[in-house]
PDB file of all heavy atoms in Angstrom:
ATOM      1  N   ALA A   1     -75.730  -8.045  37.761  1.00 82.00           N
ATOM      2  CA  ALA A   1     -76.605  -9.086  38.290  1.00 82.00           C
ATOM      3  C   ALA A   1     -76.752  -8.946  39.801  1.00 82.00           C
ATOM      4  O   ALA A   1     -77.851  -9.076  40.353  1.00 82.00           O
ATOM      5  CB  ALA A   1     -76.059 -10.471  37.931  1.00 82.00           C
ATOM      6  N   GLU A   2     -75.635  -8.664  40.467  1.00 84.00           N
ATOM      7  CA  GLU A   2     -75.668  -8.484  41.918  1.00 84.00           C
ATOM      8  C   GLU A   2     -76.471  -7.232  42.290  1.00 84.00           C
ATOM      9  O   GLU A   2     -77.222  -7.221  43.271  1.00 84.00           O
ATOM     10  CB  GLU A   2     -74.250  -8.381  42.473  1.00 84.00           C
ATOM     11  CG  GLU A   2     -73.425  -9.660  42.374  1.00 84.00           C
ATOM     12  CD  GLU A   2     -72.727  -9.819  41.029  1.00 84.00           C
ATOM     13  OE1 GLU A   2     -73.055  -9.053  40.098  1.00 84.00           O
ATOM     14  OE2 GLU A   2     -71.865 -10.713  40.913  1.00 84.00           O
ATOM     15  N   ALA A   3     -76.313  -6.175  41.498  1.00 83.00           N
ATOM     16  CA  ALA A   3     -77.073  -4.945  41.750  1.00 83.00           C
ATOM     17  C   ALA A   3     -78.566  -5.196  41.585  1.00 83.00           C
ATOM     18  O   ALA A   3     -79.385  -4.735  42.391  1.00 83.00           O
ATOM     19  CB  ALA A   3     -76.618  -3.843  40.802  1.00 83.00           C
ATOM     20  N   ASP A   4     -78.935  -5.943  40.545  1.00 83.00           N
ATOM     21  CA  ASP A   4     -80.346  -6.281  40.333  1.00 83.00           C
ATOM     22  C   ASP A   4     -80.903  -7.065  41.513  1.00 83.00           C
ATOM     23  O   ASP A   4     -82.033  -6.830  41.960  1.00 83.00           O
ATOM     24  CB  ASP A   4     -80.508  -7.118  39.053  1.00 83.00           C
ATOM     25  CG  ASP A   4     -80.426  -6.274  37.789  1.00 83.00           C
ATOM     26  OD1 ASP A   4     -80.456  -5.031  37.894  1.00 83.00           O
ATOM     27  OD2 ASP A   4     -80.348  -6.849  36.696  1.00 83.00           O
ATOM     28  N   ALA A   5     -80.111  -8.010  42.015  1.00 87.00           N
ATOM     29  CA  ALA A   5     -80.561  -8.834  43.135  1.00 87.00           C
ATOM     30  C   ALA A   5     -80.766  -7.988  44.391  1.00 87.00           C
ATOM     31  O   ALA A   5     -81.755  -8.161  45.118  1.00 87.00           O
ATOM     32  CB  ALA A   5     -79.549  -9.953  43.400  1.00 87.00           C
ATOM     33  N   GLU A   6     -79.838  -7.073  44.654  1.00 84.00           N
ATOM     34  CA  GLU A   6     -79.967  -6.192  45.824  1.00 84.00           C
ATOM     35  C   GLU A   6     -81.189  -5.282  45.697  1.00 84.00           C
ATOM     36  O   GLU A   6     -81.908  -5.046  46.670  1.00 84.00           O
ATOM     37  CB  GLU A   6     -78.700  -5.343  45.975  1.00 84.00           C
ATOM     38  CG  GLU A   6     -77.511  -6.079  46.547  1.00 84.00           C
ATOM     39  CD  GLU A   6     -77.734  -6.502  47.995  1.00 84.00           C
ATOM     40  OE1 GLU A   6     -78.307  -5.716  48.773  1.00 84.00           O
ATOM     41  OE2 GLU A   6     -77.340  -7.635  48.345  1.00 84.00           O
ATOM     42  N   MET A   7     -81.432  -4.796  44.476  1.00 84.00           N
ATOM     43  CA  MET A   7     -82.569  -3.907  44.262  1.00 84.00           C
ATOM     44  C   MET A   7     -83.881  -4.658  44.440  1.00 84.00           C
ATOM     45  O   MET A   7     -84.830  -4.146  45.038  1.00 84.00           O
ATOM     46  CB  MET A   7     -82.486  -3.316  42.850  1.00 84.00           C
ATOM     47  CG  MET A   7     -83.291  -2.056  42.653  1.00 84.00           C
ATOM     48  SD  MET A   7     -82.555  -0.611  43.466  1.00 84.00           S
ATOM     49  CE  MET A   7     -83.606  -0.469  44.922  1.00 84.00           C
ATOM     50  N   ALA A   8     -83.937  -5.882  43.930  1.00 87.00           N
ATOM     51  CA  ALA A   8     -85.146  -6.698  44.080  1.00 87.00           C
ATOM     52  C   ALA A   8     -85.420  -6.973  45.559  1.00 87.00           C
ATOM     53  O   ALA A   8     -86.579  -6.946  46.005  1.00 87.00           O
ATOM     54  CB  ALA A   8     -84.990  -8.009  43.306  1.00 87.00           C
ATOM     55  N   LYS A   9     -84.374  -7.208  46.308  1.00 89.00           N
ATOM     56  CA  LYS A   9     -84.517  -7.442  47.749  1.00 89.00           C
ATOM     57  C   LYS A   9     -85.076  -6.198  48.434  1.00 89.00           C
ATOM     58  O   LYS A   9     -85.989  -6.289  49.275  1.00 89.00           O
ATOM     59  CB  LYS A   9     -83.163  -7.814  48.342  1.00 89.00           C
ATOM     60  CG  LYS A   9     -83.174  -8.054  49.847  1.00 89.00           C
ATOM     61  CD  LYS A   9     -81.773  -8.399  50.339  1.00 89.00           C
ATOM     62  CE  LYS A   9     -81.743  -8.566  51.851  1.00 89.00           C
ATOM     63  NZ  LYS A   9     -80.363  -8.864  52.346  1.00 89.00           N
ATOM     64  N   ALA A  10     -84.542  -5.032  48.093  1.00 87.00           N
ATOM     65  CA  ALA A  10     -85.010  -3.784  48.702  1.00 87.00           C
ATOM     66  C   ALA A  10     -86.485  -3.535  48.373  1.00 87.00           C
ATOM     67  O   ALA A  10     -87.252  -3.079  49.232  1.00 87.00           O
ATOM     68  CB  ALA A  10     -84.158  -2.618  48.207  1.00 87.00           C
ATOM     69  N   LEU A  11     -86.893  -3.845  47.155  1.00 90.00           N
ATOM     70  CA  LEU A  11     -88.294  -3.654  46.767  1.00 90.00           C
ATOM     71  C   LEU A  11     -89.222  -4.609  47.519  1.00 90.00           C
ATOM     72  O   LEU A  11     -90.346  -4.242  47.869  1.00 90.00           O
ATOM     73  CB  LEU A  11     -88.454  -3.844  45.257  1.00 90.00           C
ATOM     74  CG  LEU A  11     -87.960  -2.692  44.381  1.00 90.00           C
ATOM     75  CD1 LEU A  11     -87.877  -3.125  42.922  1.00 90.00           C
ATOM     76  CD2 LEU A  11     -88.882  -1.476  44.525  1.00 90.00           C
ATOM     77  N   ARG A  12     -88.742  -5.822  47.773  1.00 91.00           N
ATOM     78  CA  ARG A  12     -89.558  -6.772  48.552  1.00 91.00           C
ATOM     79  C   ARG A  12     -89.732  -6.289  49.982  1.00 91.00           C
ATOM     80  O   ARG A  12     -90.814  -6.415  50.568  1.00 91.00           O
ATOM     81  CB  ARG A  12     -88.913  -8.168  48.538  1.00 91.00           C
ATOM     82  CG  ARG A  12     -89.048  -8.927  47.226  1.00 91.00           C
ATOM     83  CD  ARG A  12     -88.714 -10.402  47.403  1.00 91.00           C
ATOM     84  NE  ARG A  12     -87.382 -10.621  47.940  1.00 91.00           N
ATOM     85  CZ  ARG A  12     -86.289 -10.743  47.187  1.00 91.00           C
ATOM     86  NH1 ARG A  12     -86.380 -10.635  45.869  1.00 91.00           N
ATOM     87  NH2 ARG A  12     -85.113 -10.969  47.737  1.00 91.00           N
ATOM     88  N   LEU A  13     -88.666  -5.724  50.543  1.00 90.00           N
ATOM     89  CA  LEU A  13     -88.705  -5.284  51.933  1.00 90.00           C
ATOM     90  C   LEU A  13     -89.535  -4.017  52.125  1.00 90.00           C
ATOM     91  O   LEU A  13     -90.171  -3.840  53.159  1.00 90.00           O
ATOM     92  CB  LEU A  13     -87.279  -5.051  52.443  1.00 90.00           C
ATOM     93  CG  LEU A  13     -86.404  -6.307  52.604  1.00 90.00           C
ATOM     94  CD1 LEU A  13     -84.967  -5.916  52.917  1.00 90.00           C
ATOM     95  CD2 LEU A  13     -86.959  -7.201  53.725  1.00 90.00           C
ATOM     96  N   ASP A  14     -89.520  -3.131  51.125  1.00 92.00           N
ATOM     97  CA  ASP A  14     -90.204  -1.837  51.286  1.00 92.00           C
ATOM     98  C   ASP A  14     -90.769  -1.360  49.945  1.00 92.00           C
ATOM     99  O   ASP A  14     -90.266  -0.402  49.355  1.00 92.00           O
ATOM    100  CB  ASP A  14     -89.223  -0.807  51.854  1.00 92.00           C
ATOM    101  CG  ASP A  14     -89.938   0.403  52.452  1.00 92.00           C
ATOM    102  OD1 ASP A  14     -91.180   0.472  52.336  1.00 92.00           O
ATOM    103  OD2 ASP A  14     -89.255   1.263  53.033  1.00 92.00           O
ATOM    104  N   PRO A  15     -91.813  -2.025  49.449  1.00 93.00           N
ATOM    105  CA  PRO A  15     -92.332  -1.716  48.112  1.00 93.00           C
ATOM    106  C   PRO A  15     -92.972  -0.337  47.992  1.00 93.00           C
ATOM    107  O   PRO A  15     -93.175   0.144  46.880  1.00 93.00           O
ATOM    108  CB  PRO A  15     -93.374  -2.822  47.876  1.00 93.00           C
ATOM    109  CG  PRO A  15     -93.791  -3.253  49.246  1.00 93.00           C
ATOM    110  CD  PRO A  15     -92.559  -3.134  50.082  1.00 93.00           C
ATOM    111  N   GLU A  16     -93.296   0.291  49.111  1.00 94.00           N
ATOM    112  CA  GLU A  16     -93.924   1.614  49.069  1.00 94.00           C
ATOM    113  C   GLU A  16     -92.926   2.750  49.254  1.00 94.00           C
ATOM    114  O   GLU A  16     -93.314   3.925  49.275  1.00 94.00           O
ATOM    115  CB  GLU A  16     -94.996   1.704  50.166  1.00 94.00           C
ATOM    116  CG  GLU A  16     -96.126   0.695  50.007  1.00 94.00           C
ATOM    117  CD  GLU A  16     -96.864   0.877  48.689  1.00 94.00           C
ATOM    118  OE1 GLU A  16     -97.222   2.026  48.377  1.00 94.00           O
ATOM    119  OE2 GLU A  16     -97.056  -0.119  47.974  1.00 94.00           O
ATOM    120  N   SER A  17     -91.650   2.421  49.372  1.00 94.00           N
ATOM    121  CA  SER A  17     -90.635   3.434  49.628  1.00 94.00           C
ATOM    122  C   SER A  17     -90.383   4.311  48.399  1.00 94.00           C
ATOM    123  O   SER A  17     -90.137   3.800  47.302  1.00 94.00           O
ATOM    124  CB  SER A  17     -89.318   2.766  50.045  1.00 94.00           C
ATOM    125  OG  SER A  17     -88.241   3.683  49.994  1.00 94.00           O
ATOM    126  N   TRP A  18     -90.426   5.625  48.619  1.00 94.00           N
ATOM    127  CA  TRP A  18     -90.082   6.566  47.544  1.00 94.00           C
ATOM    128  C   TRP A  18     -88.639   6.362  47.109  1.00 94.00           C
ATOM    129  O   TRP A  18     -88.348   6.251  45.907  1.00 94.00           O
ATOM    130  CB  TRP A  18     -90.284   7.998  48.049  1.00 94.00           C
ATOM    131  CG  TRP A  18     -89.583   9.036  47.223  1.00 94.00           C
ATOM    132  CD1 TRP A  18     -89.980   9.537  46.012  1.00 94.00           C
ATOM    133  CD2 TRP A  18     -88.342   9.682  47.532  1.00 94.00           C
ATOM    134  NE1 TRP A  18     -89.066  10.461  45.553  1.00 94.00           N
ATOM    135  CE2 TRP A  18     -88.049  10.571  46.471  1.00 94.00           C
ATOM    136  CE3 TRP A  18     -87.456   9.606  48.617  1.00 94.00           C
ATOM    137  CZ2 TRP A  18     -86.903  11.364  46.463  1.00 94.00           C
ATOM    138  CZ3 TRP A  18     -86.320  10.398  48.593  1.00 94.00           C
ATOM    139  CH2 TRP A  18     -86.061  11.258  47.527  1.00 94.00           C
ATOM    140  N   GLU A  19     -87.724   6.278  48.080  1.00 93.00           N
ATOM    141  CA  GLU A  19     -86.309   6.170  47.744  1.00 93.00           C
ATOM    142  C   GLU A  19     -86.002   4.878  46.993  1.00 93.00           C
ATOM    143  O   GLU A  19     -85.275   4.889  45.992  1.00 93.00           O
ATOM    144  CB  GLU A  19     -85.470   6.224  49.025  1.00 93.00           C
ATOM    145  CG  GLU A  19     -83.966   6.159  48.758  1.00 93.00           C
ATOM    146  CD  GLU A  19     -83.148   6.193  50.029  1.00 93.00           C
ATOM    147  OE1 GLU A  19     -83.719   6.089  51.124  1.00 93.00           O
ATOM    148  OE2 GLU A  19     -81.910   6.324  49.919  1.00 93.00           O
ATOM    149  N   VAL A  20     -86.569   3.763  47.457  1.00 92.00           N
ATOM    150  CA  VAL A  20     -86.288   2.470  46.824  1.00 92.00           C
ATOM    151  C   VAL A  20     -86.856   2.432  45.414  1.00 92.00           C
ATOM    152  O   VAL A  20     -86.197   1.973  44.471  1.00 92.00           O
ATOM    153  CB  VAL A  20     -86.856   1.316  47.679  1.00 92.00           C
ATOM    154  CG1 VAL A  20     -86.777  -0.001  46.924  1.00 92.00           C
ATOM    155  CG2 VAL A  20     -86.091   1.213  48.996  1.00 92.00           C
ATOM    156  N   ASN A  21     -88.080   2.919  45.228  1.00 95.00           N
ATOM    157  CA  ASN A  21     -88.667   2.911  43.892  1.00 95.00           C
ATOM    158  C   ASN A  21     -87.902   3.812  42.935  1.00 95.00           C
ATOM    159  O   ASN A  21     -87.686   3.458  41.769  1.00 95.00           O
ATOM    160  CB  ASN A  21     -90.136   3.334  43.961  1.00 95.00           C
ATOM    161  CG  ASN A  21     -91.050   2.181  44.298  1.00 95.00           C
ATOM    162  OD1 ASN A  21     -91.399   1.368  43.447  1.00 95.00           O
ATOM    163  ND2 ASN A  21     -91.431   2.088  45.564  1.00 95.00           N
ATOM    164  N   LYS A  22     -87.480   4.961  43.425  1.00 94.00           N
ATOM    165  CA  LYS A  22     -86.743   5.875  42.555  1.00 94.00           C
ATOM    166  C   LYS A  22     -85.386   5.285  42.174  1.00 94.00           C
ATOM    167  O   LYS A  22     -84.951   5.392  41.018  1.00 94.00           O
ATOM    168  CB  LYS A  22     -86.572   7.223  43.253  1.00 94.00           C
ATOM    169  CG  LYS A  22     -86.024   8.293  42.324  1.00 94.00           C
ATOM    170  CD  LYS A  22     -86.059   9.652  42.986  1.00 94.00           C
ATOM    171  CE  LYS A  22     -85.439  10.716  42.101  1.00 94.00           C
ATOM    172  NZ  LYS A  22     -85.440  12.049  42.743  1.00 94.00           N
ATOM    173  N   GLU A  23     -84.724   4.656  43.120  1.00 91.00           N
ATOM    174  CA  GLU A  23     -83.423   4.055  42.829  1.00 91.00           C
ATOM    175  C   GLU A  23     -83.583   2.871  41.870  1.00 91.00           C
ATOM    176  O   GLU A  23     -82.776   2.691  40.957  1.00 91.00           O
ATOM    177  CB  GLU A  23     -82.750   3.603  44.120  1.00 91.00           C
ATOM    178  CG  GLU A  23     -81.346   3.078  43.940  1.00 91.00           C
ATOM    179  CD  GLU A  23     -80.347   4.153  43.515  1.00 91.00           C
ATOM    180  OE1 GLU A  23     -80.684   5.350  43.572  1.00 91.00           O
ATOM    181  OE2 GLU A  23     -79.229   3.786  43.119  1.00 91.00           O
ATOM    182  N   ALA A  24     -84.631   2.074  42.071  1.00 93.00           N
ATOM    183  CA  ALA A  24     -84.891   0.961  41.157  1.00 93.00           C
ATOM    184  C   ALA A  24     -85.148   1.480  39.749  1.00 93.00           C
ATOM    185  O   ALA A  24     -84.629   0.940  38.758  1.00 93.00           O
ATOM    186  CB  ALA A  24     -86.088   0.150  41.645  1.00 93.00           C
ATOM    187  N   ALA A  25     -85.936   2.538  39.648  1.00 95.00           N
ATOM    188  CA  ALA A  25     -86.245   3.120  38.345  1.00 95.00           C
ATOM    189  C   ALA A  25     -84.991   3.656  37.671  1.00 95.00           C
ATOM    190  O   ALA A  25     -84.773   3.457  36.468  1.00 95.00           O
ATOM    191  CB  ALA A  25     -87.274   4.240  38.521  1.00 95.00           C
ATOM    192  N   ARG A  26     -84.165   4.343  38.452  1.00 91.00           N
ATOM    193  CA  ARG A  26     -82.920   4.888  37.910  1.00 91.00           C
ATOM    194  C   ARG A  26     -82.039   3.783  37.346  1.00 91.00           C
ATOM    195  O   ARG A  26     -81.516   3.881  36.227  1.00 91.00           O
ATOM    196  CB  ARG A  26     -82.171   5.648  39.014  1.00 91.00           C
ATOM    197  CG  ARG A  26     -80.871   6.289  38.565  1.00 91.00           C
ATOM    198  CD  ARG A  26     -79.975   6.578  39.762  1.00 91.00           C
ATOM    199  NE  ARG A  26     -79.639   5.358  40.494  1.00 91.00           N
ATOM    200  CZ  ARG A  26     -78.718   4.489  40.101  1.00 91.00           C
ATOM    201  NH1 ARG A  26     -78.041   4.696  38.986  1.00 91.00           N
ATOM    202  NH2 ARG A  26     -78.467   3.400  40.803  1.00 91.00           N
ATOM    203  N   MET A  27     -81.901   2.678  38.094  1.00 89.00           N
ATOM    204  CA  MET A  27     -81.064   1.573  37.650  1.00 89.00           C
ATOM    205  C   MET A  27     -81.625   0.919  36.388  1.00 89.00           C
ATOM    206  O   MET A  27     -80.899   0.629  35.433  1.00 89.00           O
ATOM    207  CB  MET A  27     -80.944   0.532  38.765  1.00 89.00           C
ATOM    208  CG  MET A  27     -79.998  -0.607  38.443  1.00 89.00           C
ATOM    209  SD  MET A  27     -79.989  -1.873  39.742  1.00 89.00           S
ATOM    210  CE  MET A  27     -81.585  -2.632  39.442  1.00 89.00           C
ATOM    211  N   LEU A  28     -82.931   0.703  36.372  1.00 92.00           N
ATOM    212  CA  LEU A  28     -83.572   0.080  35.208  1.00 92.00           C
ATOM    213  C   LEU A  28     -83.466   0.974  33.979  1.00 92.00           C
ATOM    214  O   LEU A  28     -83.254   0.485  32.864  1.00 92.00           O
ATOM    215  CB  LEU A  28     -85.038  -0.215  35.533  1.00 92.00           C
ATOM    216  CG  LEU A  28     -85.265  -1.309  36.573  1.00 92.00           C
ATOM    217  CD1 LEU A  28     -86.693  -1.240  37.120  1.00 92.00           C
ATOM    218  CD2 LEU A  28     -84.998  -2.685  35.968  1.00 92.00           C
ATOM    219  N   TYR A  29     -83.590   2.279  34.183  1.00 93.00           N
ATOM    220  CA  TYR A  29     -83.487   3.209  33.063  1.00 93.00           C
ATOM    221  C   TYR A  29     -82.095   3.138  32.443  1.00 93.00           C
ATOM    222  O   TYR A  29     -81.952   3.132  31.216  1.00 93.00           O
ATOM    223  CB  TYR A  29     -83.782   4.632  33.544  1.00 93.00           C
ATOM    224  CG  TYR A  29     -83.799   5.654  32.431  1.00 93.00           C
ATOM    225  CD1 TYR A  29     -84.941   5.872  31.671  1.00 93.00           C
ATOM    226  CD2 TYR A  29     -82.672   6.403  32.137  1.00 93.00           C
ATOM    227  CE1 TYR A  29     -84.954   6.796  30.642  1.00 93.00           C
ATOM    228  CE2 TYR A  29     -82.677   7.338  31.115  1.00 93.00           C
ATOM    229  CZ  TYR A  29     -83.829   7.532  30.370  1.00 93.00           C
ATOM    230  OH  TYR A  29     -83.826   8.447  29.357  1.00 93.00           O
ATOM    231  N   ARG A  30     -81.075   3.063  33.291  1.00 88.00           N
ATOM    232  CA  ARG A  30     -79.706   2.996  32.776  1.00 88.00           C
ATOM    233  C   ARG A  30     -79.457   1.702  32.009  1.00 88.00           C
ATOM    234  O   ARG A  30     -78.583   1.650  31.144  1.00 88.00           O
ATOM    235  CB  ARG A  30     -78.701   3.110  33.930  1.00 88.00           C
ATOM    236  CG  ARG A  30     -78.658   4.500  34.531  1.00 88.00           C
ATOM    237  CD  ARG A  30     -77.562   4.619  35.563  1.00 88.00           C
ATOM    238  NE  ARG A  30     -77.562   5.932  36.182  1.00 88.00           N
ATOM    239  CZ  ARG A  30     -76.701   6.343  37.083  1.00 88.00           C
ATOM    240  NH1 ARG A  30     -75.745   5.531  37.491  1.00 88.00           N
ATOM    241  NH2 ARG A  30     -76.768   7.560  37.596  1.00 88.00           N
ATOM    242  N   GLN A  31     -80.215   0.674  32.324  1.00 88.00           N
ATOM    243  CA  GLN A  31     -80.113  -0.580  31.593  1.00 88.00           C
ATOM    244  C   GLN A  31     -81.046  -0.602  30.380  1.00 88.00           C
ATOM    245  O   GLN A  31     -81.163  -1.611  29.712  1.00 88.00           O
ATOM    246  CB  GLN A  31     -80.449  -1.749  32.524  1.00 88.00           C
ATOM    247  CG  GLN A  31     -79.477  -1.923  33.670  1.00 88.00           C
ATOM    248  CD  GLN A  31     -79.882  -3.029  34.626  1.00 88.00           C
ATOM    249  OE1 GLN A  31     -80.649  -3.932  34.285  1.00 88.00           O
ATOM    250  NE2 GLN A  31     -79.379  -2.984  35.842  1.00 88.00           N
ATOM    251  N   ARG A  32     -81.680   0.512  30.135  1.00 92.00           N
ATOM    252  CA  ARG A  32     -82.632   0.695  29.032  1.00 92.00           C
ATOM    253  C   ARG A  32     -83.832  -0.250  29.151  1.00 92.00           C
ATOM    254  O   ARG A  32     -84.437  -0.640  28.159  1.00 92.00           O
ATOM    255  CB  ARG A  32     -81.949   0.546  27.669  1.00 92.00           C
ATOM    256  CG  ARG A  32     -82.634   1.373  26.582  1.00 92.00           C
ATOM    257  CD  ARG A  32     -81.894   1.312  25.272  1.00 92.00           C
ATOM    258  NE  ARG A  32     -82.656   1.902  24.205  1.00 92.00           N
ATOM    259  CZ  ARG A  32     -82.446   3.105  23.676  1.00 92.00           C
ATOM    260  NH1 ARG A  32     -81.464   3.848  24.132  1.00 92.00           N
ATOM    261  NH2 ARG A  32     -83.175   3.552  22.689  1.00 92.00           N
ATOM    262  N   ARG A  33     -84.189  -0.541  30.363  1.00 93.00           N
ATOM    263  CA  ARG A  33     -85.403  -1.325  30.628  1.00 93.00           C
ATOM    264  C   ARG A  33     -86.506  -0.317  30.954  1.00 93.00           C
ATOM    265  O   ARG A  33     -86.953  -0.169  32.076  1.00 93.00           O
ATOM    266  CB  ARG A  33     -85.139  -2.301  31.771  1.00 93.00           C
ATOM    267  CG  ARG A  33     -84.126  -3.377  31.390  1.00 93.00           C
ATOM    268  CD  ARG A  33     -83.457  -4.037  32.583  1.00 93.00           C
ATOM    269  NE  ARG A  33     -84.378  -4.761  33.436  1.00 93.00           N
ATOM    270  CZ  ARG A  33     -84.012  -5.387  34.553  1.00 93.00           C
ATOM    271  NH1 ARG A  33     -82.731  -5.359  34.929  1.00 93.00           N
ATOM    272  NH2 ARG A  33     -84.893  -6.027  35.283  1.00 93.00           N
ATOM    273  N   ILE A  34     -86.909   0.414  29.907  1.00 96.00           N
ATOM    274  CA  ILE A  34     -87.740   1.601  30.064  1.00 96.00           C
ATOM    275  C   ILE A  34     -89.113   1.268  30.637  1.00 96.00           C
ATOM    276  O   ILE A  34     -89.624   1.997  31.507  1.00 96.00           O
ATOM    277  CB  ILE A  34     -87.890   2.345  28.724  1.00 96.00           C
ATOM    278  CG1 ILE A  34     -86.505   2.675  28.127  1.00 96.00           C
ATOM    279  CG2 ILE A  34     -88.712   3.625  28.905  1.00 96.00           C
ATOM    280  CD1 ILE A  34     -85.662   3.576  28.981  1.00 96.00           C
ATOM    281  N   ASP A  35     -89.726   0.193  30.167  1.00 96.00           N
ATOM    282  CA  ASP A  35     -91.074  -0.142  30.652  1.00 96.00           C
ATOM    283  C   ASP A  35     -91.067  -0.403  32.153  1.00 96.00           C
ATOM    284  O   ASP A  35     -91.971   0.041  32.879  1.00 96.00           O
ATOM    285  CB  ASP A  35     -91.618  -1.368  29.909  1.00 96.00           C
ATOM    286  CG  ASP A  35     -91.909  -1.082  28.448  1.00 96.00           C
ATOM    287  OD1 ASP A  35     -91.933   0.104  28.064  1.00 96.00           O
ATOM    288  OD2 ASP A  35     -92.116  -2.044  27.678  1.00 96.00           O
ATOM    289  N   GLU A  36     -90.047  -1.122  32.617  1.00 95.00           N
ATOM    290  CA  GLU A  36     -89.950  -1.403  34.048  1.00 95.00           C
ATOM    291  C   GLU A  36     -89.618  -0.134  34.841  1.00 95.00           C
ATOM    292  O   GLU A  36     -90.162   0.085  35.930  1.00 95.00           O
ATOM    293  CB  GLU A  36     -88.889  -2.470  34.302  1.00 95.00           C
ATOM    294  CG  GLU A  36     -89.208  -3.835  33.702  1.00 95.00           C
ATOM    295  CD  GLU A  36     -88.004  -4.755  33.738  1.00 95.00           C
ATOM    296  OE1 GLU A  36     -87.782  -5.392  34.771  1.00 95.00           O
ATOM    297  OE2 GLU A  36     -87.283  -4.821  32.724  1.00 95.00           O
ATOM    298  N   ALA A  37     -88.721   0.682  34.286  1.00 96.00           N
ATOM    299  CA  ALA A  37     -88.356   1.926  34.961  1.00 96.00           C
ATOM    300  C   ALA A  37     -89.570   2.835  35.126  1.00 96.00           C
ATOM    301  O   ALA A  37     -89.751   3.476  36.171  1.00 96.00           O
ATOM    302  CB  ALA A  37     -87.266   2.649  34.176  1.00 96.00           C
ATOM    303  N   THR A  38     -90.421   2.853  34.118  1.00 98.00           N
ATOM    304  CA  THR A  38     -91.613   3.702  34.157  1.00 98.00           C
ATOM    305  C   THR A  38     -92.487   3.379  35.362  1.00 98.00           C
ATOM    306  O   THR A  38     -92.998   4.281  36.042  1.00 98.00           O
ATOM    307  CB  THR A  38     -92.434   3.528  32.865  1.00 98.00           C
ATOM    308  OG1 THR A  38     -91.616   3.859  31.743  1.00 98.00           O
ATOM    309  CG2 THR A  38     -93.667   4.426  32.866  1.00 98.00           C
ATOM    310  N   ILE A  39     -92.660   2.095  35.637  1.00 97.00           N
ATOM    311  CA  ILE A  39     -93.504   1.670  36.757  1.00 97.00           C
ATOM    312  C   ILE A  39     -93.001   2.263  38.071  1.00 97.00           C
ATOM    313  O   ILE A  39     -93.781   2.783  38.885  1.00 97.00           O
ATOM    314  CB  ILE A  39     -93.535   0.128  36.842  1.00 97.00           C
ATOM    315  CG1 ILE A  39     -94.246  -0.452  35.619  1.00 97.00           C
ATOM    316  CG2 ILE A  39     -94.209  -0.340  38.137  1.00 97.00           C
ATOM    317  CD1 ILE A  39     -94.091  -1.966  35.473  1.00 97.00           C
ATOM    318  N   HIS A  40     -91.690   2.224  38.260  1.00 97.00           N
ATOM    319  CA  HIS A  40     -91.129   2.671  39.539  1.00 97.00           C
ATOM    320  C   HIS A  40     -91.021   4.194  39.628  1.00 97.00           C
ATOM    321  O   HIS A  40     -91.192   4.754  40.716  1.00 97.00           O
ATOM    322  CB  HIS A  40     -89.789   1.986  39.784  1.00 97.00           C
ATOM    323  CG  HIS A  40     -89.918   0.506  39.982  1.00 97.00           C
ATOM    324  ND1 HIS A  40     -90.502  -0.030  41.110  1.00 97.00           N
ATOM    325  CD2 HIS A  40     -89.579  -0.538  39.189  1.00 97.00           C
ATOM    326  CE1 HIS A  40     -90.499  -1.362  41.009  1.00 97.00           C
ATOM    327  NE2 HIS A  40     -89.953  -1.684  39.860  1.00 97.00           N
TER     328      HIS A  40
END
């Protein structure tokens, strides 16, 4: 939950960042949230 909150914060601060989007996607994929991971 804390990791999700930190990731959401990073996406708000820099939504166009390659690194932030890739890290968000990686985390979502590991949680099997495939549709969300695909977007990032």
Side-chain angles (χ1 to χ4, degrees):
E2 293 85 348
D4 283 349
E6 284 294 320
M7 200 73 257
K9 179 181 177 182
L11 284 167
R12 286 195 303 271
L13 292 172
D14 198 355
E16 298 300 312
S17 166
W18 162 78
E19 182 181 9
V20 170
N21 276 280
K22 190 172 177 181
E23 185 68 12
R26 181 200 60 78
M27 185 184 73
L28 291 163
Y29 184 84
R30 289 186 183 182
Q31 296 176 21
R32 209 175 170 103
R33 293 159 63 182
I34 305 298
D35 292 347
E36 296 168 84
T38 302
I39 293 169
H40 294 290

